[in-house]
Amino acid sequence: MADVHPEHAQLQADRIYLGWQYAMLYPEPGPPPKRPSPEDVPEEPAEVDPAWVRRERLKEDLLNRPMKIVGVFMVVLALVMVVLGVTETMDWTFVTAGLVVTCGVAAICWYAVHQGERALRSRIKEQEARADDRRRRRERDLFDAQERHAERYRAWAAKKEQYDRQLTWYAVAVPDEIDRIDVAGGTLPGWSALITLLGATRLYSGGHLTVLDLSEGAIAKDLIELARRGGDDPLVWVLPTDLPRLDLGATLPPEAFADVLAHVVSVSEEHRTTRDLSFDNAILERVLEVLGENATINQVTAALRALAQVGDPRDDLRYGLLTATQLERIGTLFGRGVTDRVVIERAWALESQLRKLETLGSEAVRLPPARLRVVSMDRQAGVFGNRVLGTYVATALTHILRQSPASERPWYHTIIVAGADKLRGDVLDRLMDACETSQTGLVLTYRSLTPTVRERLGRGHAAVAFMRLGNAEDARVASEHMGTEHRLELAQLTESISPTVDGLNGSYTSTVGDGAGRGGAGGHEKAEGDLKESITESTEWGRSARKAMGEERVLHRSREFLVEPHQLQQLPTTSVIVTHATVEGRQVRLADANPAILTFPKTTLGEFEEVRRVMLTPAPQPEPDPEEDSFAPNLGPPPERLDWRKTH
């Protein structure tokens, strides 16, 4: 896997990038832990209560009062007896015996009082010791609380740094084993974003790209500008104006050319079957056989007019479109009678359709090779005429691919058909088969899910990308295709940027017309191939994203939604739900096709599941080598720093 760090990112040629998935690998840690204060620690008395001391002293005094009274009485009695002995009122024998008794009783009383005082002082000291112990325990608890807070804060700071520095946008890509991508739904701005991202990543990884734009919305305009800034020189045809300079199909053999023209005629006849196409093909093959190699469209239409007996064939002879010999052979190609009338009617129908291609290749010039080729339809032209032209280009590309050898690298050449629902189902089938056999990548975008599109959506080894589906029935079909149990995360940044680019202005500028300069030499300064800088400077998406990046409040917000029809109808412009089959089962991911996300500092070209496995898997600790003096693991040389520079 490539380095997941954005500054080391490098496009991988074996991956097809369809957008960016918003995901937070690490959750927000929340507010920092509160620092503990002395008030938060349960407070216990830190000193002996003076009231308790007073109560204990009062209690001791009450207990000692009788002893003190008895002791005082005995002292007084002893003094009286001494006085009586001195005055010889009482014999000293009795006085001595009385003194012994009274002094002994007084001593006993005062000893009891002294013991009570000692017990009181001991109790007071015990209380003081307990108070000191409580004070020390409270201080220790406060210190422990501060230590725990410091540990929690360090853990919170580490999570906060991890949260702030984590990647938020991961590439949504499909492997190049997927041979086709079907894009269902979407708006013109959404298609523009998706095609710009997909095309730019293919070009900057060394591939070639052909865009057939049937949308009439100039959706590849940003892609053309990116290619010019990257040093390429795109070729842009705007049909029908550039039809004389379009040489596509000029080298096809007569059989293939007849098949192409037959499919072009079938554009207006949806009910026509394979049998009808075979009949038209037979007529055209015989006509081309008469005209010989390198027959032009106006020669074919002249021959069909002669076959249908329309107009004056002498005019075509005079203009050199037919020779007298060819005119004579055309008149005898088919028999007469009823069969002739059927041929006449079909020849007339063929001529009326192919007249729109009469100028094809009439002024073709040799153009230098280009890695980006865009064939678009002018929105000023008729709808039916554009369908004819689009069918011709798609069918001619099909035959060119069928005659080309298979590419050694899948998706080296990529074809994008925008508005593919305007083509017949059999035209799409043939193009799909030709791209698969030649290993050419194919991207088809459909505005609506018609029955023809539903039959082919995701068929074969293809990935399906669903964008905004305005039609309720289309949204229902899409939700059933993906399954409504999937819960996806939508970034608020996607919802904020999408409305800022709500339309496509301007149109294509031809690079093959008279007086039209080629892109690289027309005043565009040749860039050094920095894709990120090119997206920022030359696309509307880059300019809008640069403004949104200043709003920090939307960078880390998202919401979840279920894959339900009403949610699919409210998807932001650039949102795309990518689903394809894997060995683990069907994978469904929500991406943002905005190419400007590639320029964000927290965007990686690694996919979310891959990055998560790398980030959450602990690195194995190398075992120390006993033969080495140091136990430091050998990390090897530093990784090579990769960049965005394009190599041709």
Side-chain angles (χ1 to χ4, degrees):
M1 193 193 83
D3 195 335
V4 298
H5 297 288
E7 64 272 15
H8 296 165
Q10 185 182 43
L11 294 172
Q12 299 184 55
D14 60 344
R15 291 190 178 183
I16 316 303
Y17 298 93
L18 298 177
W20 315 99
Q21 178 183 2
Y22 179 84
M24 305 292 284
L25 187 60
Y26 304 103
E28 186 175 2
K34 182 182 178 182
R35 182 179 179 83
S37 62
E39 291 78 10
D40 297 329
V41 180
E43 185 175 2
E44 298 181 8
E47 297 179 355
V48 179
D49 187 4
W52 177 85
V53 175
R54 287 195 300 271
R55 288 195 302 269
E56 291 296 316
R57 290 190 180 280
L58 179 61
K59 187 187 300 182
E60 189 65 27
D61 289 343
L62 291 176
L63 291 174
N64 291 336
R65 184 173 297 174
M67 292 296 182
K68 290 179 179 180
I69 293 174
V70 173
V72 171
F73 176 75
M74 289 300 170
V75 171
V76 172
L77 183 60
L79 292 175
V80 171
M81 293 179 69
V82 170
V83 172
L84 292 176
V86 172
T87 60
E88 298 181 350
T89 305
M90 182 179 292
D91 187 69
W92 281 101
T93 303
F94 292 103
V95 171
T96 302
L99 288 174
V100 170
V101 172
T102 55
C103 289
V105 172
I108 292 172
C109 290
W110 286 113
Y111 180 76
V113 171
H114 176 69
Q115 288 295 104
E117 290 292 338
R118 286 185 60 186
L120 176 62
R121 287 193 298 271
S122 177
R123 289 197 301 272
I124 293 174
K125 289 182 179 180
E126 289 178 357
Q127 290 296 326
E128 290 176 348
R130 291 193 187 99
D132 291 340
D133 184 63
R134 287 194 298 268
R135 182 173 59 255
R136 287 191 297 270
R137 186 169 60 248
R138 184 170 184 270
E139 291 175 353
R140 185 172 59 251
D141 291 344
L142 180 59
F143 178 79
D144 292 342
Q146 292 175 343
E147 284 292 323
R148 290 192 297 270
H149 168 265
E151 293 178 359
R152 290 196 302 269
Y153 186 85
R154 285 192 294 268
W156 175 87
K159 292 181 179 179
K160 179 65 174 175
E161 183 181 9
Q162 195 177 51
Y163 171 79
D164 292 337
R165 296 181 59 184
Q166 70 176 323
L167 303 170
T168 55
W169 293 97
Y170 300 83
V172 173
V174 295
D176 59 3
E177 290 83 2
I178 297 291
D179 52 40
R180 191 179 77 255
I181 298 173
D182 294 332
V183 182
T187 61
L188 293 181
W191 284 2
S192 173
L194 180 62
I195 289 176
T196 300
L197 171 63
L198 194 150
T201 53
R202 297 315 300 159
L203 291 175
Y204 275 71
S205 60
H208 292 250
L209 192 69
T210 298
V211 179
L212 174 55
D213 187 0
L214 305 179
S215 67
E216 303 177 8
I219 60 176
K221 194 173 181 180
D222 282 347
L223 177 59
I224 294 171
E225 185 63 26
L226 278 176
R228 288 173 177 167
R229 289 184 61 90
D232 287 327
D233 211 2
L235 291 175
V236 181
W237 290 268
V238 181
L239 304 183
T241 305
D242 289 333
L243 195 60
R245 289 164 289 278
L246 181 66
D247 58 353
L248 186 65
T251 59
L252 291 176
E255 296 80 7
F257 196 37
D259 182 75
V260 171
L261 298 181
H263 277 84
V264 170
V265 173
S266 67
V267 170
S268 62
E269 301 171 341
E270 295 288 343
H271 62 281
R272 291 189 66 78
T273 62
T274 304
R275 180 180 178 182
D276 297 327
L277 287 173
S278 300
F279 184 67
D280 292 347
N281 191 45
I283 295 176
L284 290 168
E285 280 187 353
R286 294 192 179 186
V287 168
L288 289 171
E289 184 180 351
V290 172
L291 296 177
E293 297 286 343
N294 302 323
T296 61
I297 294 292
N298 52 2
Q299 288 178 309
V300 174
T301 55
L304 290 173
R305 285 193 295 270
L307 186 61
Q309 302 176 10
V310 178
D312 190 350
R314 290 175 296 182
D315 294 337
D316 295 328
L317 291 174
R318 185 168 58 254
Y319 294 138
L321 299 177
L322 295 175
T323 64
T325 303
Q326 291 172 342
L327 182 60
E328 182 180 356
R329 289 185 60 188
I330 290 171
T332 59
L333 276 178
F334 299 93
R336 300 298 179 185
V338 179
T339 305
D340 185 51
R341 179 160 299 278
V342 175
V343 172
I344 289 174
E345 291 177 355
R346 286 310 307 160
W348 195 354
L350 292 171
E351 191 273 342
S352 63
Q353 300 296 334
L354 296 180
R355 289 182 63 184
K356 299 177 177 62
L357 299 175
E358 279 189 333
T359 60
L360 176 67
S362 60
E363 301 176 11
V365 294
R366 188 174 183 84
L367 297 172
R371 296 200 307 138
L372 174 61
R373 294 172 293 274
V374 178
V375 181
S376 66
M377 306 301 148
D378 192 348
R379 66 180 67 180
Q380 304 298 329
V383 175
F384 178 72
N386 282 348
R387 291 191 63 187
V388 170
L389 296 173
T391 302
Y392 172 81
V393 175
T395 311
L397 280 174
T398 300
H399 279 280
I400 293 174
L401 292 173
R402 289 166 63 91
Q403 297 174 10
S404 302
S407 174
E408 296 181 357
R409 194 180 89 191
W411 291 83
Y412 176 74
H413 181 209
T414 302
I415 296 178
I416 299 177
V417 181
D421 46 339
K422 297 181 180 180
L423 301 176
R424 282 174 55 103
D426 54 346
V427 175
L428 290 175
D429 290 338
R430 290 154 58 94
L431 180 60
M432 293 176 189
D433 294 341
C435 289
E436 182 177 1
T437 55
S438 63
Q439 297 198 62
T440 299
L442 180 61
V443 180
L444 303 174
T445 67
Y446 307 102
R447 177 62 67 87
S448 59
L449 301 182
T450 62
T452 300
V453 174
R454 294 178 191 175
E455 294 176 4
R456 294 159 177 82
L457 194 65
R459 188 174 66 185
H461 201 193
V464 182
F466 292 98
M467 302 188 79
R468 180 191 293 177
L469 295 158
N471 183 277
E473 179 63 19
D474 291 349
R476 182 189 64 80
V477 172
S479 63
E480 292 178 355
H481 182 94
M482 291 180 285
T484 57
E485 73 278 5
H486 298 286
R487 187 179 296 275
L488 304 175
E489 186 174 6
L490 178 64
Q492 185 176 346
L493 187 66
T494 300
E495 298 181 288
S496 301
I497 295 181
S498 291
T500 62
V501 187
D502 199 23
L504 293 175
N505 298 319
S507 58
Y508 291 111
T509 301
S510 171
T511 62
V512 299
D514 293 335
R518 298 298 305 277
H524 295 273
E525 185 178 354
K526 193 170 183 179
E528 295 181 1
D530 193 318
L531 180 56
K532 297 170 67 174
E533 180 182 353
S534 298
I535 290 176
T536 302
E537 298 297 332
S538 62
T539 66
E540 185 63 29
W541 302 104
R543 290 185 285 269
S544 299
R546 186 165 49 189
K547 297 177 182 177
M549 284 295 290
E551 302 181 16
E552 186 70 24
R553 59 184 176 84
V554 304
L555 295 183
H556 297 292
R557 294 185 181 181
S558 62
R559 65 178 178 89
E560 288 187 342
F561 71 93
L562 291 173
V563 180
E564 296 178 346
H566 72 280
Q567 294 284 3
L568 297 180
Q569 292 178 271
Q570 300 172 3
L571 284 176
T573 302
T574 56
S575 291
V576 52
I577 303 177
V578 181
T579 172
H580 66 97
T582 64
V583 292
E584 293 85 7
R586 179 158 291 276
Q587 191 175 33
V588 178
R589 294 171 291 175
L590 176 65
D592 189 339
N594 186 346
I597 296 178
L598 182 62
T599 66
F600 290 1
K602 295 183 179 181
T603 300
T604 176
L605 289 169
E607 297 190 70
F608 177 68
E609 293 299 330
E610 294 179 346
V611 174
R612 182 168 63 177
R613 284 195 297 267
V614 172
M615 293 298 185
L616 300 184
T617 301
Q621 296 295 330
E623 297 182 0
D625 189 351
E627 297 181 358
E628 295 183 0
D629 295 335
S630 174
F631 289 95
N634 182 15
L635 301 180
E640 180 182 357
R641 183 176 180 88
L642 306 176
D643 58 25
W644 291 94
R645 302 303 182 189
K646 177 185 60 172
T647 57
H648 291 281

